[in-house]
Amino acid sequence: MAVTLEQAQRVGYTCLKALLRFAFMVANNLVAIPSYVLYLIVLQPLRILDSKSFWYIEGVLFKWLLAMVASWGWWAGYTVVEWGDDVKAVSEDEAMVLVNHQATGDVCTLMMCLQDKGTVVRQMMWLMDHIFKYTNFGIVSLIHGDFFIRQGKAHRDQQLVLLKDHLEKYYRSRNRKWIVLFPEGGFLRKRRETSQAFAKKNNLPFLKHVTLPRLGATQVILKTLVVPQENGTPSGGDAVRKESKSKGLQWVIDTTIAYPKAEPIDIQTWILGYRQPTVTHVHYRIFPVKDVPAEPEALTNWLYQRFIEKEDLLTHFYETGAFPPPQGQTKAISREMTLSNLWLVAIQSFAFLSGGMWYCLFQYLYHCLF
């Protein structure tokens, strides 16, 4: 079929826009990430003298970096509509966020929709596949204290021990409050067939839109971060009480991401912007951690039930274009998540000005020394 002039122009415009966006992203990374690292190197004396202030500043810089990533999608028209419980109400408490995983764009979506949730982004810890350690953002996540988990049976037990040690060493010492993980252990398209075979073998529900979650990381997080209570106060002595002023982990936020027509956005699309403007839908349901069972079998069943509910939510969404209303209500209420373009321009400008400042500083030092 012959290509019309109008179609050719549209393709040409899309390619040019993608090229310009990619060039901007590369330039953004070349100034923002080194600037983040250099600021924190300069601030190392503060880390020794006042660790709390150091990690506060690091958290602000980290939030700005994630906002820059969010801006790439926001300016391409990839927006978010939120449903279910209002997580802003628990943004100052400690929470574990359980998310279904469909594509690399899931992380970008969370970077966007958590930006307006108070201090959450600067005080959050991510659990992500170890491969992300070797991406351009890996150095940032390493400094921030995120945990890179290696998948596969051969590594599973060791990784859970390392996760426990990581949480004990970094979570409260850096004043973290939210921890985000993807319990399915991989993308939907990669795990669906294996999950369905496991479900059939063990007489579990047949799931199409999510996969059965894995227990390990969730159990370690609950055991490590939930503060045991005795008569309403933390048990375990003065050390535990001092470290647990925030009452420990208080909430589990079950988060379900849905894309129109079940077509997820990947990181390439997020960067290049060649897909038409798309609204991603995010549903939250908040559970008090005291209602989450601790025993492995009961916790497994509880976790399975959450993903069975996700299956129902996504089935309803793909059929109707909306999430169902909460139990006992007749209408589901959605909230359009917004970002300030002025704020996004300001932090992008700060990144490029910082890059220019560091460049001039190193040029000056070079001429002084040589």
Side-chain angles (χ1 to χ4, degrees):
M1 186 174 66
V3 177
T4 65
L5 178 60
E6 183 180 352
Q7 289 173 326
Q9 289 175 335
R10 190 181 301 117
V11 171
Y13 171 75
T14 300
C15 291
L16 177 62
K17 182 178 71 171
L19 183 62
L20 292 173
R21 285 176 58 88
F22 181 75
F24 176 80
M25 184 276 294
V26 171
N28 195 185
N29 275 265
L30 288 175
V31 295
I33 293 176
S35 293
Y36 166 88
V37 174
L38 290 168
Y39 277 125
L40 296 182
I41 290 174
V42 170
L43 289 171
Q44 285 304 302
L46 178 63
R47 183 177 181 179
I48 298 171
L49 297 171
D50 187 353
S51 177
K52 185 176 180 180
S53 295
F54 173 85
W55 289 113
Y56 174 87
I57 295 170
E58 184 279 333
V60 171
L61 294 175
F62 183 79
K63 179 176 180 178
W64 290 354
L65 283 176
L66 267 59
M68 292 177 204
V69 176
S71 72
W72 305 340
W74 180 257
W75 287 333
Y78 305 147
T79 58
V80 172
V81 167
E82 299 176 307
W83 305 73
D85 296 333
D86 184 2
V87 297
K88 287 184 181 179
V90 298
S91 62
E92 297 301 316
D93 299 332
E94 288 188 28
M96 176 173 63
V97 185
L98 307 175
V99 193
N100 62 312
H101 208 10
Q102 300 173 70
T104 49
D106 298 340
V107 175
C108 300
T109 296
L110 290 173
M111 288 180 177
M112 176 185 286
C113 64
L114 295 179
Q115 282 292 326
D116 68 343
K117 306 299 186 293
T119 62
V120 164
V121 174
R122 66 177 177 83
Q123 292 182 285
M124 73 195 311
M125 179 181 287
W126 296 76
L127 265 65
M128 60 188 77
D129 192 279
H130 78 287
I131 197 67
F132 283 98
K133 185 188 296 186
Y134 308 106
T135 66
N136 60 319
F137 211 77
I139 183 64
V140 175
S141 291
L142 280 169
I143 294 171
H144 184 69
D146 297 328
F147 184 77
F148 300 94
I149 193 163
R150 186 180 291 272
Q151 304 294 343
K153 292 182 180 180
H155 309 285
R156 193 167 298 160
D157 292 340
Q158 180 195 30
Q159 290 298 298
L160 295 179
V161 172
L162 292 174
L163 173 59
K164 182 177 186 298
D165 293 342
H166 186 88
L167 293 173
E168 290 176 342
K169 186 175 182 180
Y170 297 118
Y171 191 81
R172 294 209 169 91
S173 68
R174 298 186 180 185
N175 196 28
R176 300 293 174 246
K177 288 191 175 182
W178 280 30
I179 184 164
V180 181
L181 70 155
F182 301 90
E184 291 165 292
F187 297 138
L188 174 64
R189 67 179 186 277
K190 293 183 177 181
R191 290 209 63 244
R192 179 160 39 200
E193 187 176 337
T194 303
S195 176
Q196 290 173 346
F198 177 84
K200 184 177 180 180
K201 182 179 178 181
N202 293 275
N203 198 30
L204 293 167
F206 182 86
L207 306 176
K208 295 190 301 181
H209 306 306
V210 294
T211 65
L212 289 170
R214 292 168 175 169
L215 177 67
T218 304
Q219 187 177 32
V220 168
I221 291 168
L222 291 171
K223 281 187 174 182
T224 307
L225 299 183
V226 174
V227 177
Q229 300 287 317
E230 289 184 2
N231 299 321
T233 58
S235 65
D238 293 338
V240 172
R241 275 191 282 271
K242 183 178 179 181
E243 194 178 58
S244 305
K245 291 184 290 186
S246 62
K247 302 179 182 179
L249 198 69
Q250 295 173 266
W251 310 99
V252 175
I253 303 175
D254 186 31
T255 304
T256 305
I257 299 176
Y259 299 95
K261 299 180 182 179
E263 296 175 354
I265 298 175
D266 55 28
I267 187 66
Q268 299 95 315
T269 306
W270 194 270
I271 292 170
L272 300 177
Y274 51 76
R275 183 167 166 177
Q276 290 297 311
T278 301
V279 179
T280 301
H281 297 257
V282 181
H283 183 279
Y284 307 105
R285 189 176 177 197
I286 302 174
F287 295 87
V289 77
K290 63 182 178 61
D291 294 342
V292 180
E295 293 301 316
E297 184 176 351
L299 178 58
T300 299
N301 292 332
W302 185 88
L303 199 57
Y304 280 177
Q305 189 57 42
R306 300 289 72 77
F307 277 76
I308 291 168
E309 289 175 1
K310 286 179 184 294
E311 176 78 10
D312 294 338
L313 285 171
L314 290 168
T315 298
H316 189 281
F317 177 84
Y318 295 140
E319 291 175 352
T320 66
F323 283 112
Q327 190 173 5
Q329 299 184 22
T330 58
K331 185 179 180 180
I333 298 175
S334 62
R335 305 171 294 277
E336 186 175 351
M337 187 267 163
T338 60
L339 290 175
S340 166
N341 285 314
L342 181 62
W343 178 62
L344 293 176
V345 169
I347 60 172
Q348 293 283 7
S349 300
F350 175 77
F352 283 99
L353 288 171
S354 295
M357 178 194 72
W358 291 115
Y359 176 78
C360 292
L361 179 61
F362 282 116
Q363 285 285 93
Y364 174 76
L365 292 174
Y366 177 83
H367 287 299
C368 287
L369 293 173
F370 302 102

